[in-house]
C-alpha cells in the first residue's frame, strides 16, 4: 500500500505523518502509531518517543504548523521508544484506525496483543515508505538504534523486505494489513544485529502506557 506522505489527514489515524521537536531547534518527523483511546473530545495517540520531545512539547500533523496534541508521557529515558500524546480538543480522531490508502482505513486490535512469534510475518505502515513487510527475528532484544544512537530495551527485531525511511518511526507494526489485525507496537528504526541491518519495533506488550 502507498504512504500517506505529507498530507494533512483527518480524522487522525495511525500511519500518517506527525512532527515534533527534539530540543529547542531540531524538528523531527515521525509516523502516528495509533489513536489509543477517546473520551468525548479528549483522546490520546502514540508515536515514537525519539521524535517528539518531553512532556508539554507540541506535536503537529502533518507539521507543527497544525497542532494535533501535546506530549503527555515520553518513555524514551526508560529505554522504551514510545510517547503518549494528549490530543488537541477539536481535532477529530479515530481509535484503532490505520491509514492504508486515500479515504481508506482499517481498524486493528491493540489491547494486550502479546508478542509475535519468531518467524512470524508483520507489516509496517510508515508515513514515508508505506507498507513494508518483514519477518520477526528476535522477540526481545536490546539494541542501539543506528540513526539516533539511543539504546532501547526489550524490542522486537524484524528483517524487512525493503529499507524503511526516516519519518517511518512510530508507525504501527501489524500482523496483517486488514481489518481486525493485531497491532503489536510501534516501529523504532534500524540497527545492526548479528552483523545484519534490521528494523526493530517497541512492542505494546513490553511497556506500560
Amino acid at each position: 500500500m502507498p504512504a500517506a506522505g505529507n498530507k494533512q489527514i483527518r480524522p487522525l489515524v495511525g500511519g500518517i505523518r506527525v512532527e515534533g521537536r527534539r530540543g529547542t531547534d531540531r524538528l523531527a518527523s515521525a509516523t502516528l502509531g495509533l489513536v489509543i483511546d477517546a473520551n468525548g473530545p479528549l483522546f490520546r495517540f502514540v508515536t515514537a518517543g525519539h521524535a517528539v520531545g518531553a512532556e508539554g512539547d507540541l506535536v503537529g500533523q502533518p507539521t507543527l504548523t497544525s497542532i494535533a496534541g501535546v506530549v503527555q508521557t515520553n518513555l524514551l529515558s526508560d529505554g522504551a521508544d514510545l510517547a503518549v500524546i494528549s490530543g488537541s480538543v477539536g481535532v477529530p480522531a479515530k481509535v484503532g484506525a490505520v491509514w492504508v490508502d486515500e479515504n481508506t482505513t482499517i481498524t486493528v486490535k491493540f489491547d494486550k496483543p502479546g508478542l509475535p512469534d519468531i518467524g512470524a510475518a508483520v507489516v509496517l505502515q510508515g508515513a514515508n515508505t508505506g507498507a513494508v513487510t518483514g519477518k520477526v527475528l528476535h522477540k526481545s532484544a536490546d539494541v542501539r538504534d543506528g540513526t539516533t544512537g539511543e539504546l532501547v530495551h526489550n524490542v522486537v527485531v524484524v528483517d524487512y523486505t525493503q529499507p524503511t525511511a526516516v519519518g517511518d518511526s512510530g508507525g504501527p507494526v501489524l500482523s496483517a494489513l486488514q481489518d481486525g489485525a493485531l497491532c503489536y507496537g510501534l516501529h523504532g528504526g534500524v540497527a545492526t544485529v548479528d552483523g545484519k541491518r534490521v528494523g526493530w519495533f517497541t512492542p505494546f506488550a513490553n511497556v506500560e502506557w
Side-chain angles (χ1 to χ4, degrees):
M1 291 293 179
N6 295 327
K7 303 178 185 70
Q8 183 178 87
I9 295 172
R10 301 291 185 273
L12 298 179
V13 294
I16 64 176
R17 185 182 193 270
V18 291
E19 186 176 73
R21 193 182 298 276
R22 296 194 73 189
T24 57
D25 59 358
R26 182 180 171 193
L27 294 176
S29 65
T31 300
L32 194 156
L34 213 59
V35 178
I36 57 172
D37 57 37
N39 181 11
L42 305 178
F43 67 94
R44 297 186 302 163
F45 64 87
V46 289
T47 189
H50 73 257
V52 296
E55 180 179 342
D57 285 349
L58 298 174
V59 178
Q61 198 292 310
T63 68
L64 280 171
T65 59
S66 182
I67 302 304
V70 178
V71 178
Q72 175 183 320
T73 306
N74 194 330
L75 301 176
L76 190 60
S77 61
D78 296 327
D81 191 13
L82 183 147
V84 180
I85 315 300
S86 294
S88 298
V89 173
V91 176
K94 186 176 180 182
V95 175
V98 174
W99 191 96
V100 292
D101 207 339
E102 297 290 345
N103 302 313
T104 304
T105 61
I106 58 174
T107 302
V108 300
K109 301 174 182 177
F110 57 93
D111 184 30
K112 299 179 182 177
L115 295 173
D117 292 329
I118 302 294
V122 294
V123 58
L124 158 70
Q125 182 67 40
N128 278 359
T129 306
V132 183
T133 58
K135 181 175 70 174
V136 174
L137 298 180
H138 301 282
K139 293 174 66 170
S140 184
D142 295 345
V143 302
R144 189 169 297 280
D145 185 70
T147 303
T148 67
E150 303 278 3
L151 179 65
V152 288
H153 303 289
N154 300 318
V155 302
V156 175
V157 177
V158 180
D159 184 13
Y160 285 113
T161 56
Q162 69 184 78
T164 59
V166 173
D168 290 333
S169 297
V173 179
L174 313 170
S175 60
L177 204 61
Q178 62 188 38
D179 277 319
L182 295 176
C183 181
Y184 291 119
L186 306 183
H187 177 65
V190 297
T192 300
V193 176
D194 299 331
K196 182 180 180 66
R197 183 179 171 87
V198 294
W200 59 270
F201 71 85
T202 302
F204 293 153
N206 289 348
V207 296
E208 292 290 335
W209 48 268

